[in-house]
Amino acid sequence: MDRTRILLPLALEDKQRDPEKFKTVRELLAQLEQKDVSMRGATFKEFLKQLNMSYEEYVLALRSGINRPTVVLKRTVDEVLINSYNPKILSLMQANMDIQFVLDEYAVVAYLVDYVNKPGRGLSKILRNCIEATAQGKHSLKECLISVANQFINSAEISAQEAAWSILELPMSKMSEDTIFIPTFRREDRTRMIKSQEYLKQLDSNSRDVYELNIIDRYVVRPNQLENVCLANFAAWYELAKVGSEDRKLLKGNQYVRRRTKPKVIQYRKFKESQDENEYYREQVMLFTSWRNENADILSLDFKQLYTTNLETIRMNRKEFVADENLDLEEELMQLEKSRELEEDEEKSEETSLVSFEPYWNMMKMK
């Protein structure tokens, strides 16, 4: 690039988007890295001529291949492998560096977590391959589990300190936040916990009271004092208690609820409006409006109309749990996985075409 620029990605539906041209750019850059093509001393205009693109087409090609705002550094053709650096820090550290502008706070967090877990990169792929191989071999569930466990033990790279920590059975992590999952699936798709064997033995053979109460069951029989509390709020702020005042007693059974001093982080199915509009509306109504009977208050009604009617209430209650309406974590995770795969490919490429840092450092010392 002839100057440093911050490029924004093109929308998928943008007619100017041309992934094929981006592929052409990447192929030429890869050839330059592998030294399959020699363009030593070439100018940026000559580089564009080699691509058979104008400057505007080149920028659009780059924007077609990125998923988030990206800094493209000013570099000549001979400098394509030079990372962003600071001359002052470089002279002090005498080591390689890769400084980047922060354009996305979430990307920074993802980068830090990814870097901490770097030794385990590729392990998920190994485990997936192991599961597929054992599944094709018609092994029992126990044999599959043993095979996966062996792969995990033999493929994971950990430090001596972590190994000692594990042997001593010390807790590997601590959470400052409690979480709770709300099963917002359709009723027929929800999983349930069965009551203890001792309790089941005492039941009549025709009894259907075999499941433990889940968060939705407890919400349905919540105290009348919490009539206007939505499911999301109830799950986050209230938990079971053995004792309590009568106005906090569940309408069924002998259990009570008490308000927490700190809310739990709620998790749920998260249907997407673009993929399943009907289920999205049902889930939003289920989570962020108050109701008693799921069949009568939600399932028997038109979900979209119900959502539209209660939209103001839904938005107000959702604000407490959704900080950024535009942030799609699932999409971000998918993009992160793609970035990891791309990084792995680049690391393999660097192994075969490693450029020595010494000539540049010697040049710095001469200055």
Side-chain angles (χ1 to χ4, degrees):
M1 184 66 77
D2 60 339
R3 58 193 174 95
T4 297
R5 293 187 58 174
I6 298 176
L7 299 183
L8 302 178
L10 291 173
L12 293 175
E13 63 275 8
D14 197 313
K15 294 181 179 179
Q16 293 181 305
R17 193 169 182 273
D18 193 344
E20 287 301 317
K21 285 189 176 180
F22 175 74
K23 185 178 178 181
T24 302
V25 174
R26 281 199 60 84
E27 287 175 352
L28 179 56
L29 290 174
Q31 290 171 356
L32 291 173
E33 291 176 10
Q34 300 292 340
K35 298 183 180 179
D36 294 335
V37 174
S38 178
M39 293 189 67
R40 181 173 293 276
T43 64
F44 182 60
K45 287 184 178 180
E46 291 171 334
F47 175 74
L48 293 178
K49 186 177 180 180
Q50 181 74 17
L51 288 170
N52 194 25
M53 295 182 192
S54 65
Y55 182 82
E56 290 74 17
E57 289 174 331
Y58 176 66
V59 172
L60 289 174
L62 294 181
R63 294 179 64 192
S64 300
I66 58 178
N67 301 310
R68 53 172 56 91
T70 303
V71 177
V72 180
L73 300 172
K74 177 183 178 180
R75 290 289 184 267
T76 65
V77 176
D78 295 334
E79 298 170 340
V80 291
L81 293 178
I82 297 179
N83 293 332
S84 179
Y85 65 91
N86 179 286
K88 182 66 176 178
I89 299 176
L90 185 64
S91 63
L92 293 172
M93 292 183 63
Q94 301 186 22
N96 189 25
M97 68 173 60
D98 185 5
I99 298 175
Q100 298 182 33
F101 291 103
V102 175
L103 300 176
D104 184 351
E105 299 90 339
Y106 177 80
V108 174
V109 176
Y111 175 82
L112 292 174
V113 173
D114 191 41
Y115 198 85
V116 170
N117 296 322
K118 192 173 183 180
R121 182 177 295 163
L123 185 59
S124 298
K125 187 176 181 180
I126 293 173
L127 294 179
R128 280 197 299 270
N129 293 339
C130 176
I131 292 171
E132 291 174 1
T134 52
Q136 293 173 0
K138 296 182 179 180
H139 298 285
S140 67
L141 183 61
K142 183 178 180 180
E143 290 172 334
C144 289
L145 185 60
I146 292 173
S147 178
V148 170
N150 287 333
Q151 281 286 350
F152 184 82
I153 292 171
N154 295 324
S155 302
E157 179 184 342
I158 62 174
S159 64
Q161 292 83 355
E162 185 177 345
W165 201 270
S166 299
I167 292 171
L168 294 172
E169 297 185 357
L170 297 172
M172 296 297 293
S173 62
K174 292 183 179 180
M175 295 179 62
S176 59
E177 306 289 342
D178 289 331
T179 62
I180 184 169
F181 181 77
I182 305 174
T184 54
F185 306 95
R186 289 277 187 164
R187 182 176 294 175
E188 58 270 19
D189 296 328
R190 296 172 195 163
T191 56
R192 304 293 300 270
M193 290 287 291
I194 297 177
K195 292 183 176 180
S196 66
Q197 287 294 326
E198 294 180 2
Y199 181 87
L200 295 176
K201 288 177 181 178
Q202 299 174 7
L203 288 179
D204 184 85
S205 58
N206 295 322
S207 176
R208 303 180 67 180
D209 184 24
V210 296
Y211 296 113
E212 295 282 2
L213 294 180
N214 62 18
I215 184 61
I216 296 177
D217 297 326
R218 294 197 294 272
Y219 176 72
V220 169
V221 296
R222 67 190 182 279
N224 290 325
Q225 190 183 43
L226 305 178
E227 182 67 29
N228 296 323
V229 173
C230 67
L231 174 58
N233 194 289
F234 181 81
W237 283 101
Y238 295 91
E239 60 186 5
L240 288 178
K242 293 182 179 180
V243 295
S245 58
E246 283 300 313
D247 60 353
R248 289 299 175 93
K249 186 177 181 180
L250 296 179
L251 300 183
K252 179 182 178 181
N254 297 315
Q255 293 180 309
Y256 300 83
V257 292
R258 64 184 176 195
R259 184 176 171 85
R260 294 168 54 88
T261 55
K262 188 177 183 181
K264 293 181 180 180
V265 175
I266 64 169
Q267 298 175 325
Y268 48 94
R269 170 60 176 79
K270 292 186 178 70
F271 290 98
K272 293 184 178 180
E273 187 176 6
S274 58
Q275 295 178 356
D276 196 334
E277 185 181 82
N278 213 35
E279 288 301 290
Y280 171 80
Y281 293 140
R282 181 190 62 80
E283 183 180 54
Q284 293 296 301
V285 171
M286 183 179 182
L287 284 170
F288 303 114
T289 65
S290 59
W291 49 273
R292 282 283 183 183
N293 187 307
E294 188 175 0
N295 281 328
D297 298 337
I298 300 177
L299 298 180
S300 62
L301 303 176
D302 182 274
F303 302 148
K304 186 173 183 179
Q305 184 178 354
L306 200 58
Y307 174 83
T308 305
T309 304
N310 295 278
L311 185 57
E312 186 176 345
T313 301
I314 290 172
R315 285 177 174 171
M316 182 179 66
N317 289 330
R318 191 167 55 195
K319 279 183 180 179
E320 183 178 352
F321 305 100
V322 182
D324 186 352
E325 295 280 357
N326 298 318
L327 179 61
D328 189 336
L329 288 178
E330 290 184 11
E331 183 65 27
E332 290 289 342
L333 289 172
M334 288 177 62
Q335 296 299 339
L336 179 60
E337 188 65 29
K338 290 180 181 178
S339 299
R340 284 176 176 172
E341 293 175 359
L342 183 61
E343 187 176 337
E344 287 177 1
D345 293 339
E346 290 176 350
E347 286 178 355
K348 290 178 182 177
S349 175
E350 288 176 4
E351 289 176 2
T352 57
S353 60
L354 186 61
V355 178
S356 174
F357 181 73
E358 288 298 323
Y360 181 78
W361 175 242
N362 292 334
M363 182 178 68
M364 289 289 295
K365 289 195 291 186
M366 290 175 64
K367 290 182 179 180

